[in-house]
Amino acid sequence: MIPHVPLGQWVSDLIDWLLDTVPWLFDAISAVMQVLVDGLTDLLVSPPPVVWIVVFAVLALLLRGPWLALYTVLAFLLVVSLELWVETMQTLALVLVAAVIATAVAVPTGILAARHRAVSVVIRPVLDFMQTTPVFVYLIPAVFFFGVGVVPGVVATILFAIPPGVRLTELGIRQVDREVVEAAQAFGARPGQVLREVQLPLALPSIMAGINQVIMLALSMVVTAGLLGAAGLGAVVVRAVTQLDVASGFEGGLAVVLLAIFLDRLTGAFGQRAALSRLRQARAQRSRQGREAAGADSPVGRPPAVGARAVD
């Protein structure tokens, strides 16, 4: 007979203990989150939509090219015509705040995991647990700690989006050529210099892929966050589901998809640009080394032999 292990009761007791012991901590986190989301939402909603459409299109043109710029203009004009501009900007603000905080946690954690095997061993089952936990389970502690509204939605989104950022950052740094790292160490570079000047630049495409996944997971959590009362497209979809309003549900879902494609292509362009920059630097280095080798083999560039006499 196996005795019952009250794991759920232990977790419930832990939540009650935290709420009784450090309520000021959750109040402070809630206040900071609310200010960030409200400030960014006001920034995105205050100007006329055409202002931000032009800004987004210019960004798309610079980072990806004319086709993404054209898509950006058409997609956001469609959002305006659906009268979902405010909800879309509220969603964008929530996603950006959650993605920035998740990235600020994930990238340093991934670096630690890549540089210390013990950290990697400890953190791997935690990431497995976070990635396999059902989405709705994240909502339970978020509601207990922060109540109902946009803040628990942001917190649940952050927790849900962290794992791919950690994994891809660790993978990118581990895949840096060992000989390159050893060459930098042989020239006297300290561990911090090796990380900043060798490992992070070479791992940047993988890190950007992780940030891209963080943003995509944050956006996929938007509808779930709408269940907690978070404003935006998630609230539109949840309201449509509860009222069986197919038209509003389709329009809200379409706006989520349009925003997801824009963010995916835009953040993906950062990684591609990093890869192209890395390729150009490698070609330039090979070209420089080739010229130096050719100069060394040339009779003009070859230094005179020791003991040779000049011919008058």
Side-chain angles (χ1 to χ4, degrees):
M1 186 71 179
I2 300 176
H4 173 67
V5 179
L7 281 177
Q9 186 60 45
W10 293 346
V11 173
S12 177
D13 293 341
L14 175 63
I15 291 175
D16 292 338
W17 180 79
L18 288 173
L19 287 174
D20 293 335
T21 307
V22 287
W24 53 269
L25 177 62
F26 301 111
D27 292 340
I29 294 174
S30 178
V32 171
M33 294 281 186
Q34 193 71 52
V35 168
L36 289 175
V37 174
D38 289 346
L40 190 54
T41 302
D42 291 341
L43 181 65
L44 291 171
V45 172
S46 298
V50 66
V51 174
W52 281 112
I53 291 176
V54 171
V55 172
F56 294 153
V58 170
L59 274 176
L61 180 64
L62 293 176
L63 293 175
R64 198 63 183 256
W67 288 112
L68 184 59
L70 178 63
Y71 166 81
T72 302
V73 172
L74 295 178
F76 283 109
L77 285 178
L78 179 59
V79 168
V80 173
S81 73
L82 295 175
E83 299 180 351
L84 291 174
W85 174 258
V86 175
E87 289 81 359
T88 303
M89 293 301 103
Q90 289 172 335
T91 300
L92 182 60
L94 190 151
V95 169
L96 289 179
V97 170
V100 167
I101 297 175
T103 302
V105 174
V107 172
T109 307
I111 292 172
L112 278 177
R115 294 170 68 85
H116 303 284
R117 175 66 66 181
V119 176
S120 177
V121 170
V122 170
I123 207 170
R124 194 166 299 167
V126 177
L127 296 178
D128 293 339
F129 176 79
M130 293 174 69
Q131 286 190 295
T132 53
T133 300
V135 174
F136 289 99
V137 176
Y138 286 98
L139 305 183
I140 299 173
V143 170
F144 274 108
F145 288 131
F146 303 103
V148 176
V150 67
V151 174
V154 174
V155 172
T157 303
I158 291 170
L159 295 176
F160 185 66
I162 283 177
V166 177
R167 288 189 189 278
L168 287 174
T169 300
E170 180 185 0
L171 179 66
I173 293 178
R174 286 192 184 280
Q175 285 184 336
V176 173
D177 193 346
R178 184 68 188 166
E179 293 182 357
V180 177
V181 176
E182 290 175 352
Q185 292 170 341
F187 279 103
R190 292 187 293 273
Q193 286 180 305
V194 173
L195 176 65
R196 287 194 309 273
E197 300 174 10
V198 177
Q199 290 177 312
L200 285 180
L202 293 177
L204 192 56
S206 180
I207 295 173
M208 289 307 303
I211 294 174
N212 175 273
Q213 290 303 304
V214 167
I215 294 175
M216 289 299 102
L217 285 181
L219 193 54
S220 71
M221 191 72 176
V222 163
V223 175
T224 308
L227 293 172
L228 301 179
L233 295 173
V236 174
V237 174
V238 170
R239 188 167 55 248
V241 171
T242 55
Q243 298 176 355
L244 297 179
D245 187 348
V246 177
S248 296
F250 176 79
E251 291 176 355
L254 178 62
V256 172
V257 172
L258 294 174
L259 184 60
I261 293 174
F262 168 70
L263 292 176
D264 177 63
R265 301 299 186 273
L266 200 65
T267 53
F270 283 106
Q272 290 182 356
R273 280 184 161 252
L276 288 174
S277 174
R278 178 182 165 191
L279 182 62
R280 290 194 191 100
Q281 289 178 358
R283 285 178 176 173
Q285 185 177 3
R286 282 200 297 270
S287 176
R288 188 168 56 250
Q289 290 174 346
R291 287 196 300 272
E292 290 174 357
D297 293 339
S298 170
V300 176
R302 186 182 302 164
V306 177
R309 293 182 179 178
V311 179
D312 295 331

